Amino acid sequence: LKSFLFPTGPMRFRPCIDLHSGKVKQIVGSSLRDDPDQGPVTNFESELGAADYAARYQEDGLTGGHVVMLGPGNEEAALAALRAYPGGLQVGGGITDQNAVKYLEAGASHVVVTSFVFRDGKVDMERLNALLAAVGGKEKVVLDLSCRQDASRGGYYVVTDRWQKFTDVTVDEAVTQLSEYCAEFLVHGVDVEGMRQGIVEPLVELLAEKSPIPVTYAGGIRSLEDMELVKRLGKGRVDATIGSALDMFGGDLSYAAVVEWHRQQQQA
């Protein structure tokens, strides 16, 4: 195993706010389409606004969470969340070198980027460097390596464009080669995202073994037992996000219990 460049502190629960058409929703990740008439499959739509969730996360002392804009029509809600919890949330979805600074100035701690830097199946280093120049360096950048398994090629490949388009870049390659260009990685296991059927265990193990910088896993977590599994397989190096399973998003896992679990980890 390689040596790690960052201290492996206690595992953290990282909260999320997923936005679709301006509303806080939980959706099945693999059901996202460009055509608005074709999905997505929605697990939950909240009557509360994004700013309400942001304020709750601030109240509970949770940091490092993310706001994800899934498609158009979400900018206003995202900015409201960032202003409600300045410095407490990352933001992703349609981020480019042209708009990144706007979100940072609105209160985002980091910008989360995928499709802008993965183009035609490859990493576009010119775009990545332009982004870093725009925001003043890698410290404000999170690269989203959300991925799906490709049975024909073997391994987990980064997917872009609302998780529909496979790139030629494996997660293994990406975490190794791109760690010098960002502060953290965010990795959605898209095949299980929103399904509440358990985590992608080999992916969590891969992230723990290969990533030399902080990394957050999302996808399929349905219980505190799953959080413990991420903690064990991730060797404490992999943080985790829970979405559809939480009672605040229509699921049956107590958000309050997860926050309490998170606090216990920090005190251990």
Side-chain angles (χ1 to χ4, degrees):
L1 290 180
K2 65 192 292 183
S3 61
F4 281 81
L5 307 181
F6 70 101
T8 56
M11 176 184 165
R12 290 195 288 164
F13 161 60
R14 306 259 202 142
C16 65
I17 302 171
D18 292 354
L19 297 172
H20 184 261
S21 301
K23 303 283 190 182
V24 177
K25 297 183 184 180
Q26 285 293 315
I27 63 174
V28 176
S30 57
S31 71
L32 281 165
R33 298 288 182 272
D34 288 331
D35 184 349
D37 296 327
Q38 294 187 332
V41 176
T42 301
N43 286 333
F44 174 79
E45 181 174 330
S46 181
E47 296 178 2
L48 298 174
D52 297 310
Y53 285 95
R56 178 73 181 273
Y57 299 153
Q58 182 177 38
E59 185 181 313
D60 291 329
L62 299 172
T63 59
H66 55 271
V67 182
V68 177
M69 299 179 284
L70 298 167
N74 297 305
E75 183 178 322
E76 194 175 316
L79 291 171
L82 298 176
R83 293 184 185 117
Y85 188 6
L89 293 165
Q90 307 166 356
V91 66
I95 302 295
T96 71
D97 60 336
Q98 300 299 307
N99 64 13
V101 171
K102 171 178 67 179
Y103 290 103
L104 292 171
E105 288 178 344
S109 64
H110 300 72
V111 287
V112 183
V113 188
T114 310
S115 298
F116 179 68
V117 298
F118 288 92
R119 192 164 58 144
D120 299 326
K122 310 246 181 329
V123 179
D124 187 325
M125 292 307 299
E126 189 174 333
R127 284 189 171 193
L128 181 53
N129 284 316
L131 177 77
L132 295 183
V135 301
K138 68 177 185 176
E139 290 76 17
K140 296 287 186 183
V141 174
V142 175
L143 287 181
D144 184 338
L145 305 180
S146 292
C147 63
R148 305 175 81 162
Q149 192 165 23
D150 187 331
S152 62
R153 292 185 288 185
Y156 298 95
Y157 284 79
V158 176
V159 288
T160 65
D161 301 278
R162 288 186 273 290
W163 299 337
Q164 298 171 68
K165 189 180 294 184
F166 277 90
T167 67
D168 297 326
V169 183
T170 66
V171 172
D172 194 325
E173 295 169 330
V175 294
T176 307
Q177 297 170 8
L178 297 177
S179 60
E180 294 176 23
Y181 297 91
C182 59
E184 300 181 4
F185 293 119
L186 172 63
V187 182
H188 290 82
V190 175
D191 292 320
V192 300
E193 176 74 16
M195 298 202 178
R196 288 182 271 180
Q197 294 177 352
I199 67 170
V200 185
E201 295 185 21
L203 179 58
V204 173
E205 291 176 315
L206 184 155
L207 296 175
E209 182 182 343
K210 299 287 187 179
S211 180
I213 60 176
V215 58
T216 300
Y217 168 84
I221 296 175
R222 64 207 157 170
S223 64
L224 290 178
E225 288 76 21
D226 283 340
M227 290 294 277
E228 288 288 343
L229 185 58
V230 173
K231 179 181 169 183
R232 180 170 63 81
L233 297 177
K235 302 181 176 70
R237 298 181 178 122
V238 181
D239 291 342
T241 290
I242 311 174
S244 295
L246 291 176
D247 55 2
M248 69 189 329
F249 295 130
D252 36 20
L253 175 57
S254 163
Y255 165 77
V258 173
V259 172
E260 180 56 33
W261 180 90
H262 166 83
R263 288 177 179 152
Q264 289 173 1
Q265 307 311 305
Q266 310 318 300
Q267 292 164 4

